[in-house]
Amino acid sequence: MKLIKQFCSFVGKEIDIKQASLINIIRSEIAEKGAISFPRFWHQALLHEKFGYYMKQDVFNKDGDFVTSVEISQMFNELIGIWLLNTFQHIGVLDNNFRPTNQKMHILEFGPGLGTLSSNVLRVFAQFNLLENLQYSYVEYSDYMRKKQQEAVLKQLQKSNIYPKYEYNNQKVEKFESAEVNLKWFKMYEHFLYEETREGQHCDPVLILAHEFFDALPVNIFEYSGGQWCEKLVGLDQDGKTLKFILSNGPNQNVYKVLNPDKYFSPEIKKLIKEGDTIEISPQSGVIANSLAELIAKVGGAALIIDYGEKRAFSDSIRAIQRHKLMDKNDILNKPGDCDLSAYVNFMALEQAALKVEGIKVPELMTQGNWLEQMGIQARLQILCKNANKATEKRLQSEYERLVHSNQMGSNFKFMCIHRTKNNNLFPFIQDAQQIYY
């Protein structure tokens, strides 16, 4: 709290056709191999090397398709920076006076967007003269977005007269290194693990940020039909052009491998299942949550996961956004690469995956509004408004309300923490704080 108060003062098969479009590539794959899984379609739609949604354009801010909390207000990012410093102190990387010990401060961010969050975090660290001995690692699949992030972060560092030198190695990591700070970009989380945790490699405790990352991971959809579970696949309509959902011919391998209904549903729930019921499952989310927990158990640290969702599974949460508007569900399949795809996060599944690792604790979820209030957003708002003109004050107040109020983003978005059991009472994930929200 002392620090808070101080501050508040799979790539698809290539098709050699000129002017090829993503929907034609997907049509060709289905025509050749048959209906594909929805995760396969999802991956192509977002991450196809040439036509994928995240691979070719700036999708954030008012000029893109959606705006995240990170882009709404500096207050959001600053308080995450404060949480990082406070947590480094809590786990012993910083001493009681928030000065470095003999360990590096290591931050790992998944899906860094435009680099806005990390730029603000670096600004907070610079304000406390704590850029030295910092390693900031990024996991970003898109080459396009990596360049955007690097431009933003390097511009921020230049304000502190820091000019890192660039290096690229065979482990597919882009490095920007200086005497004060090291920045590393990895295309895949596996590349990060190889580079930082391989045998003989020392890895300091790491604090992990994943803001609106898990909602972008693909989901399998299963439907109960004819007394059995089937998978919803992506196929072609009779015209050979329109993509549509079709059911697998009975339980396929994903029904047994991903859903595994005999283990997933309790006897009580099985009695309630009826014809047409659907369920969405993101297997990749559980794998990543479990891997993050293993990393934290091994080297120390914590993970802060911020996303929209609940502690339950969902049946119909998939949505597509284009130009800040939800698209009609009938159009989700037929504009691949031109709209964002996302699904509500099942935080219960993330928690269960993380708790499979011995020595790991997952405190109760906090709503975004509660978390920000506990971290001191009102005090920060007052400081920023103190010398602001009326227009700026009005904007700041509007940003605060949008982030915190329960009828806006304050309740829909949740903050989840994964940390070592021995690092108990990690602020603000403590019981008393979780109960206070008004």
Side-chain angles (χ1 to χ4, degrees):
M1 292 302 296
K2 171 185 174 183
L3 187 62
I4 298 169
K5 293 177 181 177
Q6 181 183 354
F7 181 74
C8 287
S9 63
F10 326 109
V11 179
K13 178 182 177 182
E14 295 182 2
I15 298 179
D16 187 18
I17 302 175
K18 291 183 179 180
Q19 303 300 322
S21 66
L22 183 52
I23 195 167
N24 282 338
I25 292 172
I26 295 173
R27 286 169 181 158
S28 297
E29 182 175 346
I30 294 172
E32 179 184 348
K33 299 179 180 179
I36 60 176
S37 70
F38 187 52
R40 171 61 180 171
F41 169 86
W42 186 303
H43 181 87
Q44 292 284 70
L46 297 186
L47 299 176
H48 184 276
E49 289 288 357
K50 185 175 181 181
F51 300 111
Y53 180 73
Y54 287 118
M55 309 296 281
K56 62 183 182 179
Q57 60 193 332
D58 180 359
V59 301
F60 301 94
N61 280 320
K62 63 181 181 179
D63 295 327
D65 289 323
F66 56 89
V67 178
T68 68
S69 298
V70 164
E71 305 300 334
I72 288 172
S73 174
Q74 69 181 74
M75 295 182 287
F76 183 90
N77 305 314
E78 290 167 347
L79 292 178
I80 289 180
I82 291 298
W83 182 85
L84 291 167
L85 291 177
N86 200 57
T87 304
F88 275 133
Q89 190 275 331
H90 186 87
I91 65 176
V93 176
L94 298 176
D95 64 21
N96 290 335
N97 295 314
F98 295 95
R99 305 313 306 167
T101 60
N102 59 349
Q103 295 176 307
K104 275 188 176 181
M105 293 178 292
H106 191 173
I107 301 169
L108 170 63
E109 185 178 353
F110 282 79
L114 294 175
T116 306
L117 175 57
S118 58
S119 295
N120 279 270
V121 166
L122 291 171
R123 179 169 57 80
V124 171
F125 276 51
Q127 196 165 334
F128 288 95
N129 297 315
L130 284 173
L131 282 180
E132 191 172 352
N133 213 30
L134 171 67
Q135 178 176 326
Y136 206 125
S137 298
Y138 306 80
V139 175
E140 175 57 67
Y141 191 87
S142 168
D143 295 344
Y144 179 91
M145 295 308 299
R146 279 203 304 277
K147 299 306 179 188
K148 286 284 186 180
Q149 294 152 17
Q150 289 163 4
E151 289 172 5
V153 170
L154 295 176
K155 184 177 179 180
Q156 178 60 47
L157 289 176
Q158 288 173 9
K159 295 178 181 179
S160 298
N161 294 316
I162 296 174
Y163 299 88
K165 294 182 179 179
Y166 173 77
E167 178 189 339
Y168 178 83
N169 70 15
N170 293 329
Q171 279 71 52
K172 298 182 179 179
V173 52
E174 297 177 36
K175 299 181 180 180
F176 292 84
E177 298 182 324
S178 71
E180 297 86 1
V181 61
N182 292 335
L183 311 173
K184 296 183 180 182
W185 270 265
F186 302 88
K187 186 167 187 175
M188 306 283 285
Y189 178 51
E190 292 80 359
H191 299 159
F192 168 85
L193 291 177
Y194 176 82
E195 174 79 7
E196 300 298 326
T197 66
R198 64 184 184 272
E199 186 176 354
Q201 181 80 8
H202 172 73
C203 185
D204 292 293
V206 58
L207 298 185
I208 301 159
L209 299 175
H211 178 259
E212 292 202 46
F213 169 77
F214 281 92
D215 71 281
L217 297 180
V219 298
N220 294 80
I221 312 172
F222 301 97
E223 181 175 322
Y224 195 69
S225 176
Q228 58 189 351
W229 285 99
C230 304
E231 184 177 11
K232 293 184 77 171
L233 306 172
V234 178
L236 290 171
D237 205 346
Q238 293 180 348
D239 61 9
K241 295 181 179 180
T242 306
L243 300 181
K244 70 173 186 176
F245 282 115
I246 63 173
L247 281 181
S248 63
N249 186 21
N252 62 7
Q253 62 178 357
N254 282 336
V255 170
Y256 298 110
K257 183 179 179 181
V258 177
L259 176 59
N260 196 351
D262 290 336
K263 291 185 178 180
Y264 193 89
F265 299 108
S266 67
E268 293 76 17
I269 294 296
K270 286 182 180 179
K271 295 177 183 178
L272 301 175
I273 296 173
K274 60 185 183 299
E275 183 78 10
D277 282 349
T278 61
I279 188 170
E280 301 165 357
I281 296 180
S282 173
Q284 194 176 356
S285 295
V287 171
I288 294 175
N290 180 261
S291 182
L292 295 182
E294 289 183 339
L295 177 63
I296 292 166
K298 178 180 179 180
V299 306
L304 185 65
I305 298 170
I306 308 161
D307 232 309
Y308 56 91
E310 302 287 347
K311 289 186 70 173
R312 63 178 177 86
F314 294 89
S315 61
D316 188 26
S317 75
I318 296 164
R319 62 183 190 176
I321 297 179
Q322 189 176 49
R323 298 302 176 198
H324 302 273
K325 293 182 179 180
L326 286 175
M327 294 176 57
D328 188 285
K329 289 187 178 294
N330 294 325
D331 293 331
I332 287 178
L333 296 181
N334 287 289
K335 292 186 179 180
D338 293 327
C339 60
D340 179 48
L341 289 174
S342 64
Y344 274 54
V345 174
N346 180 353
F347 283 102
M348 179 62 75
L350 299 187
E351 178 180 313
Q352 291 172 343
L355 290 178
K356 289 179 181 179
V357 179
E358 186 176 354
I360 287 297
K361 180 176 180 178
V362 180
E364 281 298 313
L365 290 178
M366 296 184 73
T367 64
Q368 176 167 296
N370 190 10
W371 192 91
L372 291 171
E373 293 284 21
Q374 295 300 321
M375 289 298 299
I377 191 171
Q378 286 196 39
R380 184 58 180 150
L381 175 64
Q382 291 172 6
I383 292 293
L384 292 174
C385 288
K386 190 173 182 179
N387 298 314
N389 58 39
K390 288 186 178 181
T392 301
E393 184 177 350
K394 183 178 180 180
R395 174 181 59 79
L396 290 168
Q397 183 65 36
S398 176
E399 292 172 356
Y400 163 80
E401 292 173 0
R402 187 172 179 186
L403 291 172
V404 171
H405 282 194
S406 59
N407 62 349
Q408 298 197 49
M409 302 175 78
S411 291
N412 290 337
F413 282 81
K414 309 297 190 301
F415 278 60
M416 176 181 180
C417 187
I418 302 171
H419 63 81
R420 280 177 167 179
T421 304
K422 68 178 183 179
N423 296 133
N424 206 8
N425 296 321
L426 187 60
F427 190 82
F429 295 93
I430 54 179
Q431 187 172 0
D432 290 343
Q434 290 165 345
Q435 304 305 318
I436 304 171
Y437 182 46
Y438 50 87

